[in-house]
Amino acid sequence: MADNKPIQPPTGTRDLYPIEAARRRFITEAWRRASINHGFEEVDGPTFEFTELYTKKSGEGIVSEIFGVFSGKDEQGVKALGEKLARGVDAPAPYALRPEFTPTLARMYAAKAASLPKPTKWFTAGPFFRAERPQRGRLREFLQWNCDVIGLALPEKPTPDDVARATAQADAEVIAACVGLLRELGLTSKDVRVKFGHRGLLVNFLAQCVSPFTSADAVVALLDRRPKISDAVFAAEAKQLAFEWEKFDSLVLSYKIHHVFSSVAEVEVAKGVELTSIESYAIQFGEAVRTAGLTNWVELDFSIVRGLAYYTGMVFEVIVDGERAVAGGGRYDNLIELFGGPSTPAVGFGMGDVVLSLVLQDKGLMPSDAELMQISGESPDVFVISNGTPEADAALPAVLADLRRGTRESRGRDSLHARRTNKTTKNVGKLLQEAEKSGAHFAAIVESAGEVTLKNLRTREQDQARTPIASLKAEVLKRLSRVDA
Amino acid sequence: MADNKPIQPPTGTRDLYPIEAARRRFITEAWRRASINHGFEEVDGPTFEFTELYTKKSGEGIVSEIFGVFSGKDEQGVKALGEKLARGVDAPAPYALRPEFTPTLARMYAAKAASLPKPTKWFTAGPFFRAERPQRGRLREFLQWNCDVIGLALPEKPTPDDVARATAQADAEVIAACVGLLRELGLTSKDVRVKFGHRGLLVNFLAQCVSPFTSADAVVALLDRRPKISDAVFAAEAKQLAFEWEKFDSLVLSYKIHHVFSSVAEVEVAKGVELTSIESYAIQFGEAVRTAGLTNWVELDFSIVRGLAYYTGMVFEVIVDGERAVAGGGRYDNLIELFGGPSTPAVGFGMGDVVLSLVLQDKGLMPSDAELMQISGESPDVFVISNGTPEADAALPAVLADLRRGTRESRGRDSLHARRTNKTTKNVGKLLQEAEKSGAHFAAIVESAGEVTLKNLRTREQDQARTPIASLKAEVLKRLSRVDA
């Protein structure tokens, strides 16, 4: 029929057939495990939010980067929207598909701030949407993992030092979760650089290299242009600004997390110089990075900036092989307040699934299809085969149903993944081949109305004695160590 | 600031704080386990699709029941959409938030039909959207679980009997997955009725009770009106249609799955009467329901109809306590073809999370908050405490980091959920209380730079001898049986 032409999925979205769904599960489960093991709790919000939630954080410009959403039920609203849209793209739809999680998180935290612990550590992982032209590494629907630490653990009357320490610890904690994930997936500090910047620290460095120091703006602008101009031009302009760039370079280059900072601090403190809060922070951050075992992963890079209007402290990007950004984030101390909550410091990051998957595939770290099916539990526990007699044929469906049956008491641990053939052949040899191909752990050959032969397809051991059908399930659960102690 | 007023989530959507997220996870994991153990493989599609995908299946009327979606990037498209919308609600946006999964499934199956096995068994679970006024049991964003069996396992030259058997088996298979889930969650056949109807079977019954039989339509219309009219009026109208309603009632009432049908069949076959394909189907369906152990759950109810334009065979609804529909589905043999694939029989069902959650809560079957955190893995494995000495304080962060560290080789099984306090107290007794409150399995009290005391908070056993920090992780993994054999 001419009418029945195939419909495609929208550009930039994905159809996940079983193997792609297993790959997605592999990633989301790794995200989940890394989050939980680092003490983050799962939260989630709506897939679409009021458009205002995003314009409030990012300005009206975001409207042309998101998908507008409206209810087809709301006749009046649809008409009014139509009239607005006809006038131009900046008339927003009432709702938008979420392009990021942070505004939802800020809204949720603000609504319950008084009853939430300090710090509150939340993670989420789900679909997000961007209205852009799809390209390699960027889709219009993608998954994103977010970890955020909101609020600080502080004593009742905190000193500036207490604040610096708690801030540094929270900053290091989100980086630790991110690196923890990458390490578990098989990446090493040779593959990955966590590059961090810090506007306050940059200003502190510049104050030591520009005299008299009034504002960092002109020097920052020059540093931004540096990669595009010649060394001579750069040096000449630096001189005009009284910017001792050689001293600056040596400060940056010599910045080894912890060591330099603690030695700098020791010298300063010995001289009777009081550390600035930013210097305290830098020392504490270095210390937190070191005790978390991340020294080899993290480095200072002032070219990491990421949206000055939004971030208020440390910012970072996670770069693989010097070019692929797999994650990014930083400190945003003003957002909770913007969404109606109490002033609350916060830090977090986001990691998408698209670049991460490409990295894992290119490095051979994505498990094989067979491994994926096993990891995701989609390999059968038992493949049930009839020996071909009418008696066994008749007994098979009930054997299958019994293996699958789960109880509430065991929380489903006594429910087994059991399969049978869909083929009409009665050849036991062929059926055993099919069982092996399915990745099944055991084959159970029904021999009569009362007995099966059990075969471990992974060790290739076959029981010499037959197993009564009545005890088959208990036997398999025992061999899979799935019975509770 | 007046500007920073709180923004609410859109009506009919949900914010999931940790405990609500754990409840969602409890349900989606149960769905997943039931699906996989019954041999279904996971698939998924985009969150939004071309609107055409839904109007093609359900007609233009669906537009007022779905959320329209458009790209804010596409200036031209936005203008054109605006002009169309200004004219009335039936001008659809290019995309729609998915209100159901079946059209996506049909599109995906049609695109790869030639390379997919027969049958293909797919499940999915994710967010779906309906533009309707929210009410108890219905939200605008909800989760839905779908299981479908597409295609039939048939021998090369199938007889009508082969087709009837394979169809009945597939129909029973999706019901078995659905009941398997409900049973595992603690519901029994006393709580749940799987009521099925079948247009073909109804016509077959009517043909035995209306003479001469030409069309079922007038009788079906009368049966539909039956609950609203008096017995006398019903009987009078039945008489006019030559409809022997008492015989019909006794056929329906006496329909006990399998038994009646096989005895009916025996009688007919003994009389030399050839069974119709619908009679063969009914016998096979009864047999499949019986061998799957579902006899007590399933009953015939011709009032179950569910959209005659779409369903082509058996339809069913799963009713809890006689009133709450938790799932529904049926056979739709024309849909794959409608989406450009080869003519392929299919059967499936959908179950939402909203009514299911209400049922579990009302029946006391939703686990407690503490159980949920344990099930979802959000209870810590180890809570690490310093004994308060500077030496132990300094050693603690590295202990924590080491416990959390996972490797690719173990697929993260060697990564532990480890926490520490965020409080400033150094009182070990108080910290042990906090550890217990967190639901942690073990507390590890750091005693020095090299040793910890390990305490099992579930059994309250405390090790008499200290454990070297270097072997702490291996020891905990061993006690949690998390080391691979």
Side-chain angles (χ1 to χ4, degrees), chain A residues 3 7 15-17 24 32 36-37 44 47 56 66 68 70 72-73 107-108 131 141 340 376 415 417, chain B residues 3-4 7 15-17 24 32 36-37 44 47 56 66 68 70 72-73 107-108 131 141 376 415 417:
Chain A
D3 184 41
I7 299 177
D15 284 343
L16 305 184
Y17 289 89
R24 174 178 74 173
R32 180 183 171 76
I36 287 178
N37 289 354
D44 205 354
T47 304
K56 190 161 191 156
I66 56 184
F70 61 93
K73 186 125 206 141
R107 174 172 71 59
M108 286 175 63
E141 174 169 2
S376 68
S415 167
H417 176 182
Chain B
D3 184 42
N4 296 349
I7 300 176
D15 285 342
L16 305 183
Y17 289 88
R24 176 179 70 173
R32 181 183 170 76
I36 287 178
N37 289 355
D44 205 354
T47 304
K56 190 160 188 156
I66 56 182
F70 62 93
K73 186 126 206 137
R107 175 174 69 59
M108 286 175 62
E141 174 169 3
S376 68
S415 167
H417 177 183

Side-chain angles (χ1 to χ4, degrees), chain B residues 413-467:
Chain B
R413 282 171 57 89
D414 57 352
S415 167
L416 291 164
H417 177 183
R419 290 208 197 180
R420 60 176 298 175
T421 188
N422 292 312
K423 303 205 172 78
T424 44
T425 182
K426 298 205 175 244
N427 182 317
V428 174
K430 279 193 186 160
L431 292 170
L432 278 169
Q433 279 171 19
E434 188 189 345
E436 273 192 68
K437 217 180 135 200
S438 77
H441 202 132
F442 294 95
I445 304 161
V446 182
E447 306 284 6
S448 68
E451 289 183 324
V452 297
T453 302
L454 201 54
K455 187 170 180 175
N456 186 328
L457 297 173
R458 303 221 173 130
T459 63
R460 299 186 168 267
E461 282 167 305
Q462 180 166 329
D463 288 1
Q464 295 310 306
R466 291 179 175 180
T467 305

Side-chain angles (χ1 to χ4, degrees), chain B residues 193-199 201-202 205 248 252-253 255 257 298-306 315-317 319 322:
Chain B
R193 300 279 78 202
V194 180
K195 297 189 173 195
F196 78 98
H198 193 301
R199 172 84 184 183
L201 194 55
L202 173 59
F205 275 30
F248 176 80
V252 173
L253 285 172
Y255 182 95
I257 300 221
V298 177
E299 72 184 38
L300 177 63
D301 182 341
F302 281 129
S303 73
I304 304 297
V305 177
R306 297 183 69 79
V315 290
F316 71 100
E317 280 179 11
I319 316 282

Side-chain angles (χ1 to χ4, degrees), chain A residues 192-465:
Chain A
V192 178
R193 300 280 75 201
V194 181
K195 297 189 173 196
F196 78 98
H198 194 301
R199 173 85 183 182
L201 194 55
L202 173 60
V203 171
N204 177 282
F205 275 28
L206 291 180
Q208 300 174 48
C209 310
V210 184
S211 169
F213 183 70
T214 46
S215 154
D217 292 352
V219 182
V220 169
L222 174 61
L223 286 170
D224 276 351
R225 282 168 53 231
R226 189 174 185 177
K228 293 167 211 143
I229 59 182
S230 73
D231 290 353
V233 172
F234 173 74
E237 294 200 22
K239 198 170 180 183
Q240 281 191 318
L241 294 167
F243 170 40
E244 296 175 60
W245 63 271
E246 283 157 314
K247 183 174 172 188
F248 176 80
D249 281 358
S250 90
L251 270 173
V252 173
L253 285 172
S254 67
Y255 181 96
K256 293 279 179 292
I257 298 221
H258 178 69
H259 299 293
V260 165
F261 261 86
S262 40
S263 54
V264 166
E266 276 160 30
V267 173
E268 299 288 298
V269 171
K271 282 194 288 188
V273 176
E274 209 171 309
L275 292 175
T276 64
S277 63
I278 188 68
E279 285 162 344
S280 299
Y281 166 82
I283 293 163
Q284 293 290 348
F285 180 63
E287 180 65 16
V289 164
R290 186 186 66 77
T291 54
L294 302 174
T295 312
N296 295 333
W297 299 71
V298 177
E299 72 185 36
L300 177 64
D301 183 340
F302 281 130
S303 72
I304 304 298
V305 178
R306 298 183 68 81
L308 283 177
Y310 172 58
Y311 287 108
T312 56
M314 190 275 293
V315 289
F316 70 100
E317 280 178 9
V318 183
I319 315 283
V320 176
D321 295 341
E323 50 170 12
R324 283 163 145 174
V326 293
R331 177 158 287 284
Y332 52 96
D333 285 352
N334 300 329
L335 197 70
I336 305 294
E337 196 173 2
L338 182 67
F339 285 102
S343 172
T344 309
V347 61
F349 71 88
M351 176 188 288
D353 72 317
V354 186
V355 174
L356 179 66
S357 297
L358 290 172
V359 163
L360 294 179
Q361 275 160 32
D362 291 353
K363 291 190 176 285
L365 294 172
M366 182 64 84
S368 71
D369 292 1
E371 282 175 292
L372 278 172
M373 294 318 252
Q374 213 170 309
I375 293 167
S376 68
E378 295 195 37
S379 302
D381 297 313
V382 191
F383 200 100
V384 186
I385 291 169
S386 163
N387 73 352
T389 60
E391 204 188 1
D393 282 355
L396 191 145
V399 172
L400 201 64
D402 182 54
L403 290 169
R404 288 171 173 173
R405 188 167 301 144
T407 61
R408 178 166 188 268
E409 292 63 43
S410 82
R411 298 269 172 238
R413 282 170 57 89
D414 58 351
S415 167
L416 290 164
H417 176 182
R419 289 208 198 181
R420 61 175 296 174
T421 187
N422 292 311
K423 302 205 173 77
T424 43
T425 181
K426 300 208 174 237
N427 182 318
V428 174
K430 279 194 186 160
L431 292 169
L432 278 168
Q433 279 170 20
E434 188 189 345
E436 274 192 64
K437 219 180 134 201
S438 77
H441 202 132
F442 293 95
I445 304 160
V446 182
E447 305 284 5
S448 68
E451 289 184 322
V452 296
T453 301
L454 202 52
K455 187 169 179 174
N456 186 328
L457 296 173
R458 303 220 173 129
T459 62
R460 297 185 170 269
E461 283 167 305
Q462 179 166 330
D463 289 2
Q464 294 309 308

Side-chain angles (χ1 to χ4, degrees), chain B residues 220-296:
Chain B
V220 169
L222 175 61
L223 286 170
D224 277 350
R225 284 170 50 232
R226 187 174 186 178
K228 293 167 212 144
I229 58 181
S230 72
D231 289 353
V233 172
F234 173 75
E237 293 200 22
K239 194 168 183 185
Q240 280 190 319
L241 294 167
F243 170 40
E244 297 175 58
W245 63 271
E246 282 158 314
K247 182 174 175 190
F248 176 80
D249 281 0
S250 91
L251 270 175
V252 173
L253 285 172
S254 68
Y255 182 95
K256 294 276 179 295
I257 300 221
H258 178 68
H259 298 294
V260 166
F261 262 84
S262 42
S263 55
V264 166
E266 275 161 30
V267 172
E268 298 291 298
V269 172
K271 281 194 288 186
V273 176
E274 207 171 313
L275 292 175
T276 65
S277 63
I278 189 67
E279 285 161 344
S280 300
Y281 166 83
I283 293 163
Q284 293 290 347
F285 180 65
E287 179 66 16
V289 163
R290 187 187 65 78
T291 56
L294 302 174
T295 313
N296 294 333

